Amino acid sequence: MSSEYNPPDVPLSVIHEDHELLIVDKPAGLLSVPGKGEHLSDCLLSRIQAAFPNALLVHRLDRDTSGVMVFAMTPHAQRHLGLQFEHRRIKKTYYARLYGKLEPKTGTVDLPILVDWENRPLQKIDHENGRAAVTDWKVKSYGAIGPEGETRVRLFPHTGRSHQLRVHMLAMGHPILGDPFYATGPARDHPRLMLHSEELRLLHPDGGAGHKFRAKAPF
């Protein structure tokens, strides 16, 4: 993460609220939880708890990723949702813009990921010591922006490793545009990380009915 932290001054974007769930659209550039140090105290969790004091953390998105996040409104909902994430019952869809032309139009990346201890918080592919990480992709369209063009793609992670989508796309030779950690040159020269949590599918903690929550990508 860069030493400068200038979180966006925008109002909360609430997608859904009930007695067990709070669904919001996180802006890019805002930490999900506080970082180390007073200058990193402003985060989505603190902003939400200022408006919804009972809200509890369930999962996180990277600072530079935008999109759908779920918070629990009761300890029961927090446990219920936590188990859904642990057992991979929550289905996640991300929208991204990649450098170059990703082919074929559908596929799967199955490459284990490990923290790069010498360059934390970066992650890397490690076939000996890495944890299993699987991502499906489906190309939406190709574009002619930049010297190598770009690919608009939907990503479907089956696991939840740190930086998983960013590392997997880099391993495919197509880093996510604007990635401050993994993109270089023209791929990095964009106003933000072009990665957005587009949809979450989950079971409601009260009754178990299936629900789908979406937020359109702003890019």
Side-chain angles (χ1 to χ4, degrees):
M1 182 183 298
S2 64
S3 58
E4 291 188 10
Y5 178 48
N6 299 302
D9 184 13
V10 295
L12 285 178
S13 177
V14 176
I15 298 170
H16 172 86
E17 175 197 354
D18 63 38
H19 63 293
E20 296 278 21
L21 298 176
L22 178 66
I23 314 295
V24 301
D25 183 359
K26 183 184 101 59
L30 181 65
L31 290 167
S32 294
V33 298
K36 293 182 179 179
E38 183 63 27
H39 67 295
L40 298 176
S41 61
D42 186 10
C43 64
L44 183 60
L45 179 61
S46 63
R47 293 185 184 187
I48 282 178
Q49 289 179 336
F52 303 91
N54 295 329
L56 299 167
L57 184 72
V58 176
H59 67 126
R60 308 179 188 192
L61 288 177
D62 292 342
R63 178 191 69 174
D64 297 319
T65 304
S66 57
V68 182
M69 281 186 69
V70 56
F71 291 81
M73 297 299 283
T74 66
H76 162 72
Q78 187 183 41
R79 289 190 297 271
H80 196 282
L81 293 165
L83 286 171
Q84 290 187 59
F85 274 104
E86 181 181 344
H87 296 296
R88 302 175 186 173
R89 291 173 182 162
I90 290 182
K91 304 304 180 185
K92 298 169 282 187
T93 301
Y94 288 78
Y95 180 80
R97 290 170 57 191
L98 311 179
Y99 183 74
K101 188 174 183 179
L102 174 63
E103 293 180 315
K105 288 192 173 183
T106 61
T108 300
V109 185
D110 185 353
L111 293 171
I113 293 175
L114 182 71
V115 62
D116 186 347
W117 292 105
E118 295 182 357
N119 298 290
R120 293 178 68 187
L122 271 64
Q123 310 288 313
K124 63 181 181 180
I125 303 299
D126 189 316
H127 293 279
E128 293 185 2
N129 302 306
R131 300 176 69 189
V134 179
T135 304
D136 293 337
W137 82 77
K138 185 175 182 180
V139 170
K140 184 183 178 191
S141 65
Y142 297 112
I145 298 176
E148 300 294 331
E150 69 167 90
T151 302
R152 293 175 180 263
V153 65
R154 285 194 169 93
L155 303 171
F156 310 93
H158 295 275
T159 48
R161 308 301 174 216
S162 181
H163 295 182
Q164 175 175 320
L165 303 180
R166 300 162 73 171
V167 172
H168 273 175
M169 293 303 98
L170 176 67
M172 293 294 294
H174 301 283
I176 297 174
L177 295 176
D179 194 326
F181 286 166
Y182 302 103
T184 58
R188 186 172 178 171
D189 189 19
H190 289 264
R192 58 158 290 181
L193 173 70
M194 299 295 177
L195 179 63
H196 178 80
S197 171
E198 184 179 54
E199 179 180 288
L200 281 180
R201 297 187 181 208
L202 52 83
L203 303 178
H204 199 286
D206 184 2
H211 288 265
K212 177 174 68 176
F213 302 102
R214 291 176 60 87
K216 186 177 180 180
F219 52 81

